[in-house]
Amino acid sequence: MNYKPITIDLSYLYSLAGGDKSFEQILLIGAVEDVNIKVSGLKDSWYVRDAEGIRKNAHSLISLSAIAGMPEVEGWSRTIDQVFADGEFHPELEILAQNIIAGWPAAKSALNRVIEAN
């Protein structure tokens, strides 16, 4: 399967931090750690077709991915969150979940490079 890559745009993070580099670091480190947990939860929930778990992890990823500068993940997560609100499993959204799961390792590496550079 061909997954869409995740681009990084940290403009929202920069606007939140208002030029405070140490606050940027704190926000980004926390967001990367939390995204990692939520992507793992999304993967595990998808595997067992747990609609509630999928929605919970996707919902958390909306704000976390905004802070971490991943607009695609934010959009995909928002769609998953909205569609799974009915409590049913929606296999037709697998491509969105897999875009997040498959794209996260490269995005995490890119974000870790930003963290290390500061």
Side-chain angles (χ1 to χ4, degrees):
M1 223 176 240
N2 235 354
Y3 302 113
K4 295 190 183 208
I6 296 170
T7 57
I8 306 296
D9 173 4
L10 296 173
S11 54
Y12 180 64
L13 172 71
Y14 298 148
S15 73
L16 283 177
D20 182 337
K21 291 292 182 191
S22 83
F23 188 48
E24 280 175 19
Q25 273 300 83
I26 291 166
L27 285 174
L28 191 54
I29 289 168
V32 169
E33 289 171 358
D34 291 346
V35 168
N36 200 50
I37 291 165
K38 297 304 177 185
V39 169
S40 179
L42 177 65
K43 181 180 178 181
D44 293 346
S45 295
W46 195 274
Y47 181 72
V48 297
R49 301 169 76 96
D50 171 12
E52 185 180 326
I54 292 165
R55 182 171 189 223
K56 185 180 91 178
N57 285 292
H59 184 79
S60 295
L61 282 169
I62 296 168
S63 57
L64 289 170
S65 58
I67 293 167
M70 300 182 295
E72 293 92 354
V73 174
E74 183 182 357
W76 297 327
S77 297
R78 190 176 308 281
T79 299
I80 292 168
D81 180 42
Q82 291 168 349
V83 173
F84 276 75
D86 65 3
E88 300 293 320
F89 181 76
H90 293 273
E92 70 276 12
L93 293 186
E94 182 173 9
I95 188 66
L96 300 184
Q98 291 304 325
N99 281 341
I100 296 167
I101 295 162
W104 172 237
K108 182 180 176 188
S109 286
L111 290 167
N112 280 330
R113 284 193 297 278
V114 170
I115 290 167
E116 290 164 10
N118 286 334

